[in-house]
Structures are given as structure tokens and as C-alpha cells.
Amino acid sequence: MAIVYGRELLEEGLEVADGQYKIGLKGELKVLNSLEKVLSSNAVLVAKPNIGEYEPDLLILQPNLNFILAEVKNTSLSSIKAIQSNGLIECHTYQMNPTEQVKYHRDQLQHFVYAVTKKDVYRNIGHCVVFPSISRSEFQKKFQSTFTHWKNSDVNIFFKYHLFQEDLWEFSKWEGCFKFKPEVFALNEFDIFSLLNKMKPRKHSKFSLNILNAEAIRTLVPLRPVFSRMEEVDVDETNFIRETIQSLVHNAMITSENAISVTEGLLSLKNLRMELSHELTPYVNKANELTQMENKLITEGRVITESFKMEVEKELKSFFDKQTRSMQSEIEIGTKWHSTLTDSTKKASGLVLKGTKHLLSMNEHTKSAANRLSSIDSRTLIEHLLENFLSSAAISTKTGLVIKSASKKYEDKWKEIIDEYSYYVTQLASEKSNTVTRKQLNNKHSIGTSEQVLGLTLGSAVIGTVGLAAGWHTLTYAALNVFPPIAFFAAIATVTTGIVTKNHVIETRKQEVKNAADTIYSHVMKELNPPRTVSRKNALFTQVDETSNLYTLQAVKQGTEQLLGNLSLDHYRDLIHGFQQFDQLLQEALVDLECQLQVKETV
């Protein structure tokens, strides 16, 4: 029979334990008692060996310096919902990975032995997970469908490091739990005595908590993917945040697991929630402030954009109305009684002249005659007025001036809004935070003179970075040079003549120039702002929309960099979401502990 250390501590704990903790102690005693009988008399069994921060359930020390660590899980087969090849066990109300636990203990034992003996025994340490209340055959039967999806090597490895009820009396199975073939060498009696003396179980209080989600909480499972994404852009800041959180969680879990009552464990986890909330508050505040300011930029950017469009439309409409009135005044002054007949004759003769010029130009001898015909003015009165008051050159020039004026106001308003935004960012960045980042500790992220100047000139910086689309301030709108002939607008503006009187002719001509002017204005506005069924890529109003979006994105980017460094607002939103998921694990653990407390009080 083997030498046993720590049995009395397990038995004393069993007397006062309850719930899952009591079930766990029963399983550990069952394994201990079985191994005591099958091991040789010079083997040593240690329950809860004191080898480091966390204590394994059992340690076997063989005469030839083989160590075997065992993590005992006295759970029922019905409580296990699913398994994974990496050792993860999914139960109905929680998850655990005893394989990872015992591997951690293996590393602890290696350091412990080296510290005492100066010998590296890593290759001589075996490890296993033991299910003392589950038979191997029942386990295989339940998860047979799972094993069919695993590689054969994964199945073999799983059963190499997982032992069951029938293995408690067959020590050959335990001797197969080594990753490497053990090296045979002996320790002297003094080394063995020193090891056993130092690893003797500590006398604990007769109480231990079973904390739901303990492994996921201890290893920050919900925050792992968040930290991975953050590390891609800022390793130092990510490590600082992770180490800060890990330290808080580590201390709280140690306190909870060594608690002498459920109440003490509850208080420890509740305190952890408060500490994490306190730690998270600055990140939440900054993210919320930036989000609000970003939304304000978007809203005010839309107002600025619409103001630009409205001013362009208003000024061009005013120009066209003014030119229309001027043309109508010319009609009242210069229209003669026979103008209707003259215009009608010019329309007809224009068609004849066009055909005649075409025929004459086909012959070398008659080309000069065709050229002389070209000097004949066949334009109508409306065409004359449109060419004098609303030529494509005049419209392009006026459009360029209108756009230049509107662009200046647009740019000035954006600078004003962005400077206001940057002022708030600077104020927010200069506020003292409860969480001090690594950059702030290194004076790399503090707000100094250069940053204050950046804040005051951020508007200019953003405008300079983005630039005005298509150089609006110097634009003579090119699209307007591709213009239908004036005759086209004059023709579609013609009003059918009824009873011919002088007053009627004047009113008819005035209506014609108004129709023509309105048509040209509509044409110009379609060039600036085409309907959605037409390609709008190079249209002015589309470029205004895109530039406003660029201004917003650039301002938010620079403001975020000033406030958050390399990490983006999306990183902080991910971090907050990860904290919320982590807090959900803590809440579930607290609810479970409160249930344990109620059951204990009832009993």
C-alpha cells in the first residue's frame, strides 16, 4: 500500500461540505483509496499537494521519479452534454476544461521540483483527468457519434489522458498518461524529503466554493477575440488593458475559491463586478461621447450640404428670373407689328436655306454661293434674346460664380463645426480618467501644446486633407459647355399663335422666352443634380454629398486618434461588448452562488 498525505483534510472537508463541493470530495477520496491499494509501498500519494498557486486534486510520486497528476471530476454521465477533442466538457449549466487545468498543474509541478532539487522533471510528469463515477463503456456509447467525426489520433489521445471507473484498479492505464517516455534517474533521500515536506497539503478551512463558469471567468473567454483584434493595431495598450483586467479577476477568483463561506465568495465576486465596472466606465464614457459627437457631425453635415444645394438652386433661379425679365423688357421695347410674320417666315426660310446650302456645298463651283448664304441671319427674335442673355458661356460663368460663393460658405461652416468638435475632443481627452493607460504613464498620450494646436486647427487640417471635390471654387462647370443649341430651346418654347394683335404678339413672345428660360434652368439643374435613374457619379451635388461624408469620416478619425491613440472607436465598442458578455458570466455565477446560499440556509 502506498504512503498517503492529505487524506484527513479530505475527510474533514467532507464532514462540512455540501452541494457540488461535497460530491467532488467524495470522488477524490474514492480515487485516493483505490490507488492506495494498487500502488507499491514505496509510492507516495498526496491529496491537494501544495505546489503553487493552485492545488491539483491528487499527485502520485513513484520511486523512479515518475510524477502523475490527476484532476478528479466526480460528475455523472447524464450531466455531460457534449465533449470536444481539446478536452472541453460542456455540461448543462456550465463548461469546464479539466485537461487545461491539469496541464497548468503540470507546469507548476515542474517549476516546483526544479526550485527544490535543481532538476528538470518535465518529461517525467504524467497527467490525467479521472471520472470515478462514469464507466468507459457508457461514456463511449453516449458519445460514439461524436467520436466518428474526430480523427483516430484525437480519439486515442482523449482516452489516453482520460480515465474512468474501471481504471481505478488497473494502474497500467495510469502509467500510460505520459507525453514522453520518462527518463529513469533517482533522487536522493534528502531531495525526496524536501519535496514531500514542502508540498504537504495546507490545512484549509473546511469549506470550498463551486463557482459556475469559473474557468471561463478566470481565462477571460469573452474578451479573448476582442484583445486579438486590438493587438493588431496596438500591442502595448492591449496588453496594459488585458493585464489590468486579468489582475483584478485573478485576485477575486483566489479570494472566492479560498472563501470560508458562500457569503464571502459572493462578496468577492460582487466586488469584482464593481471594480470592472469602475475600470470600464472611462471607456464607456469616451465611446459614448465620441458616438454622440459623430452623430452630431453627421446631422450638421447634412444641414450644411443641403444649405449648399439650396443656395446654388436659389441663386441660379434668381439669375434666370432676372435674365427672363430683361428679355421680356427687350420684347416690349423692340417688338414690331410684323414680328410674328417675320419669325414665321424665318422659320420656313431657315429650312429652305439649310437644304440649299447643303446642295450648293456639294459642288466645287457653287461652294462660294453656299458660303454667302451662310451669312444670312435666319435666327428668330427668341433665339437672338437667348443668345444675348442666356448663352452657354454666360450660364457657365454665372454657375461657376454661384458655386464659388456657395463653396466658400460650405467650407467655412465645415471648419466651424469641425473646430467645435475638436474642442470637445480636446476637453474630453484632458479630463482625468480613473483608468490611466500605458501611453499616459509614458507621457505619450497626454494633451500638450502641440495637441492643443491640433485641436484649434483641426478644421483646416481636415479640409486640407480632403479638399474640395472637383475644385469647385475655380470651377467653370464643364458639363454646361455641352449644351443643346439655342434654337432647340427657342423651338420647344414656341407658343401657338391665335388672333394676331400687337399686344397678343408681345405677350406670346414674353411667354416664349419664359418657357425657354425655364427649360434651360431645368436643364442646368439636371446637370448639377441628375435624377436617380441617371448616372450621378460626376454630378456636382453628388460630389458635395461624398465630400461631406469624407469630412465627417476624417474629422472622426483624427478626433479618435487624438483621444484614443491607435485604437479606433470600433475597438472600444468591441471592448465594451466583450465586457458585457464577461459580466453576464459573472451574473450567472452570482445567481448560482445565491441559490447555493439559499439551499444551505434552508437546510
Side-chain angles (χ1 to χ4, degrees):
M1 294 178 65
I3 301 170
V4 177
Y5 289 94
R7 191 205 317 265
E8 66 280 3
L9 294 181
L10 296 182
E11 291 173 343
E12 289 174 2
L14 191 61
E15 291 177 6
V16 295
D18 56 12
Q20 287 296 322
Y21 182 55
K22 187 170 186 176
I23 294 173
L25 287 177
K26 283 183 177 180
E28 291 170 25
L29 276 170
K30 182 178 181 180
V31 175
L32 184 74
N33 292 333
S34 298
L35 288 175
E36 181 187 15
K37 296 174 182 178
V38 299
L39 287 170
S40 63
S41 59
N42 58 352
V44 179
L45 267 173
V46 185
K48 304 293 186 185
N50 178 22
I51 61 172
E53 186 178 325
Y54 295 107
E55 298 169 342
D57 290 337
L58 292 174
L59 171 64
I60 303 170
L61 173 59
Q62 294 278 67
N64 59 352
L65 196 62
N66 284 342
F67 298 89
I68 301 176
L69 289 163
E71 185 68 26
V72 180
K73 294 299 176 186
N74 193 27
T75 186
S76 64
L77 182 61
S78 61
S79 67
I80 301 177
K81 183 179 177 183
I83 58 173
Q84 294 183 20
S85 58
N86 64 358
L88 183 71
I89 307 293
E90 184 180 346
C91 297
H92 292 287
T93 57
Y94 64 96
Q95 291 183 341
M96 60 181 176
N97 195 326
T99 300
E100 290 299 317
Q101 285 180 265
V102 77
K103 284 181 179 179
Y104 177 77
H105 296 320
R106 177 194 62 192
D107 295 338
Q108 277 190 313
L109 179 61
Q110 178 199 8
H111 295 311
F112 175 82
V113 174
Y114 185 81
V116 175
T117 69
K118 301 305 177 186
K119 291 183 172 65
D120 186 358
V121 297
Y122 182 76
R123 300 177 67 90
N124 287 59
I125 302 176
H127 64 274
C128 61
V129 176
V130 186
F131 296 105
S133 298
I134 302 175
S135 73
R136 183 186 297 268
S137 58
E138 290 173 342
F139 191 89
Q140 287 177 314
K141 182 178 180 181
K142 178 170 183 176
F143 296 108
Q144 186 59 45
S145 60
T146 301
F147 295 138
T148 57
H149 293 91
W150 291 8
K151 296 178 181 178
N152 288 335
S153 58
D154 290 337
V155 176
N156 293 334
I157 289 173
F158 184 89
F159 283 106
K160 177 179 181 178
Y161 294 109
H162 289 77
L163 305 183
F164 297 86
Q165 200 172 57
E166 54 267 47
D167 301 321
L168 300 183
W169 303 96
E170 190 176 343
F171 193 67
S172 60
K173 292 286 186 182
W174 294 74
E175 291 177 320
C177 297
F178 289 86
K179 182 176 182 181
F180 306 101
K181 183 178 179 180
E183 298 176 352
V184 179
F185 63 95
L187 290 175
N188 58 51
E189 291 184 3
F190 178 78
D191 285 339
I192 295 175
F193 174 80
S194 296
L195 282 174
L196 291 175
N197 187 54
K198 290 181 181 296
M199 69 169 59
K200 278 184 180 179
R202 291 173 291 189
K203 194 167 182 67
H204 293 292
S205 62
K206 301 174 183 181
F207 178 83
S208 181
L209 276 182
N210 178 43
I211 301 173
L212 185 65
N213 302 325
E215 191 68 17
I217 293 171
R218 184 182 294 109
T219 56
L220 309 181
V221 169
L223 289 164
R224 284 180 182 176
V226 178
F227 290 143
S228 295
R229 289 190 292 272
M230 292 171 66
E231 279 180 326
E232 293 175 1
V233 296
D234 197 325
V235 174
D236 289 342
E237 187 67 16
T238 303
N239 285 340
F240 179 77
I241 295 172
R242 176 167 44 209
E243 289 166 9
T244 301
I245 303 308
Q246 186 71 71
S247 176
L248 292 173
V249 172
H250 173 78
N251 293 335
M253 292 301 288
I254 289 291
T255 303
S256 296
E257 289 169 350
N258 292 327
I260 61 173
S261 67
V262 175
T263 302
E264 184 180 340
L266 269 171
L267 290 175
S268 177
L269 289 188
K270 285 181 178 179
N271 185 60
L272 174 61
R273 283 194 71 201
M274 288 189 292
E275 288 180 324
L276 290 176
S277 176
H278 181 71
E279 195 71 26
L280 181 62
T281 297
Y283 301 113
V284 173
N285 290 344
K286 288 181 180 181
N288 287 341
E289 289 283 352
L290 281 171
T291 299
Q292 290 174 12
M293 288 187 285
E294 180 181 0
N295 291 337
K296 184 179 180 182
L297 270 177
I298 293 171
T299 300
E300 295 191 354
R302 289 171 180 162
V303 173
I304 296 171
T305 303
E306 290 306 312
S307 296
F308 175 91
K309 296 177 182 179
M310 289 174 62
E311 180 173 351
V312 170
E313 291 182 16
K314 178 184 174 183
E315 291 300 318
L316 286 179
K317 188 66 171 70
S318 176
F319 167 73
F320 274 88
D321 288 345
K322 179 182 177 183
Q323 297 303 89
T324 299
R325 290 192 296 272
S326 297
M327 289 188 290
Q328 289 176 336
S329 296
E330 288 292 319
I331 289 172
E332 291 178 348
I333 296 170
T335 299
K336 297 182 180 179
W337 170 246
H338 61 279
S339 63
T340 301
L341 179 60
T342 302
D343 279 359
S344 299
T345 303
K346 286 186 176 183
K347 289 174 188 175
S349 64
L351 296 174
V352 175
L353 282 171
K354 184 176 179 181
T356 304
K357 284 190 286 184
H358 177 68
L359 291 173
L360 291 174
S361 63
M362 294 175 65
N363 191 300
E364 290 293 330
H365 301 291
T366 57
K367 276 187 178 180
S368 59
N371 292 334
R372 288 194 297 276
L373 283 176
S374 297
S375 64
I376 299 175
D377 188 358
S378 61
R379 295 173 298 174
T380 66
L381 172 63
I382 303 302
E383 290 176 62
H384 272 291
L385 290 171
L386 293 177
E387 288 178 351
N388 288 338
F389 290 92
L390 288 177
S391 66
S392 61
I395 294 171
S396 292
T397 300
K398 181 62 179 179
T399 302
L401 292 173
V402 169
I403 292 172
K404 178 181 178 180
S405 174
S407 297
K408 182 64 169 61
K409 296 175 183 178
Y410 174 90
E411 182 176 340
D412 290 345
K413 190 62 179 174
W414 262 114
K415 285 181 179 178
E416 178 185 334
I417 296 302
I418 293 172
D419 280 341
E420 180 184 351
Y421 168 78
S422 66
Y423 171 78
Y424 284 121
V425 170
T426 303
Q427 290 294 106
L428 185 61
S430 63
E431 290 177 1
K432 290 185 178 179
S433 169
N434 291 323
T435 299
V436 183
T437 67
R438 185 181 297 275
K439 288 187 176 65
Q440 289 169 334
L441 287 172
N442 294 333
N443 292 322
K444 293 179 181 178
H445 206 56
S446 58
I447 305 301
T449 304
S450 61
E451 285 80 8
Q452 292 172 3
V453 171
L454 172 64
L456 294 174
T457 61
L458 181 58
S460 299
V462 172
I463 297 294
T465 301
V466 178
L468 290 172
W472 304 339
H473 54 298
T474 59
L475 181 68
T476 301
Y477 204 72
L480 299 181
N481 293 322
V482 185
F483 221 63
I486 288 293
F488 168 79
F489 294 109
I492 63 176
T494 302
V495 176
T496 304
T497 304
I499 302 172
V500 179
T501 66
K502 183 174 182 178
N503 288 337
H504 183 73
V505 169
I506 291 173
E507 292 305 316
T508 299
R509 291 293 178 265
K510 288 168 69 175
Q511 186 60 46
E512 286 178 345
V513 296
K514 185 179 185 310
N515 291 347
D518 290 345
T519 304
I520 297 173
Y521 172 75
S522 177
H523 175 82
V524 171
M525 292 313 302
K526 284 181 181 178
E527 289 291 329
L528 299 179
N529 187 28
R532 297 190 180 277
T533 55
V534 179
S535 175
R536 302 162 56 91
K537 182 177 180 181
N538 295 319
L540 175 68
F541 283 13
T542 300
Q543 293 190 45
V544 178
D545 290 331
E546 292 176 352
T547 301
S548 291
N549 292 336
L550 285 173
Y551 283 173
T552 300
L553 291 174
Q554 188 69 13
V556 170
K557 180 176 180 291
Q558 292 192 24
T560 302
E561 287 175 355
Q562 183 179 344
L563 183 62
L564 306 180
N566 295 329
L567 296 175
S568 69
L569 183 55
D570 285 338
H571 286 123
Y572 274 70
R573 287 169 177 160
D574 282 350
L575 181 63
I576 292 167
H577 181 63
F579 266 115
Q580 291 170 342
Q581 291 180 313
F582 186 80
D583 186 66
Q584 182 63 36
L585 291 179
L586 285 176
Q587 287 187 57
E588 291 173 1
L590 286 169
V591 169
D592 184 69
L593 287 177
E594 287 170 351
C595 290
Q596 291 183 38
L597 183 61
Q598 290 174 3
V599 170
K600 194 173 183 66
E601 290 174 348
T602 302
V603 175

